[in-house]
């Protein structure tokens, strides 16, 4: 007897895109001059992961990849904001050094 269950990958494309953007966000957040870009990519990560999670839940598909991407996006967003502030304070302090 064959298994007649259809497997759906609803939301998987958004989750994979979010995962890639999340990894890029984490890496870019630690580079001082271009870490502002990580704010944009981490926001896109959270948006794509939320869309992927919503679609996967509606289609009754596995949501693990979407949840991992969402957590990674939130962590990347927090790192981005903190490091932008830290680098900004360092540059501000160095400008008064003169």
């Amino acid at each position: 007897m064959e298994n007649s269950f259809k497997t759906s990958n609803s939301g998987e494309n958004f989750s994979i895109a979010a995962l890639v953007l999340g990894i890029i966000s984490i890496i870019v957040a630690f580079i001082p001059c271009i870490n502002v870009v990580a704010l944009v990519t981490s926001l896109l990560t959270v948006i794509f992961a939320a869309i992927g999670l919503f679609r996967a839940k509606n289609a009754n598909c596995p949501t693990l990849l979407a949840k991992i991407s969402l957590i990674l996006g939130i962590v990347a967003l927090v790192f981005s904001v903190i490091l932008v502030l830290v680098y900004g304070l360092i540059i501000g302090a160095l400008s008064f050094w003169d």
Side-chain angles (χ1 to χ4, degrees):
M1 183 176 257
E2 290 183 32
N3 190 357
S4 63
F5 294 116
K6 291 184 179 180
T7 58
S8 174
N9 59 355
S10 180
E12 187 174 335
N13 294 334
F14 278 103
S15 300
I16 291 172
L19 185 66
V20 170
L21 282 173
I23 292 170
I24 290 170
S25 298
I26 292 284
I27 293 170
V28 172
F30 290 104
I31 301 173
C33 293
I34 60 171
N35 63 347
V36 178
V37 175
L39 289 171
V40 176
T41 56
S42 61
L43 283 174
L44 286 175
T45 302
V46 172
I47 292 169
F48 286 169
I51 292 171
L53 186 63
F54 178 74
R55 286 188 177 182
K57 279 189 176 183
N58 283 344
N60 201 14
C61 296
T63 60
L64 181 65
L65 187 60
K67 288 178 183 177
I68 291 171
S69 301
L70 186 63
I71 291 170
L72 185 64
I74 292 170
V75 168
L77 185 63
V78 169
F79 275 153
S80 301
V81 169
I82 290 173
L83 291 175
V84 163
L85 292 174
V86 167
Y87 293 145
L89 288 174
I90 290 172
I91 291 173
L94 290 176
S95 68
F96 289 117
W97 188 269
D98 198 52

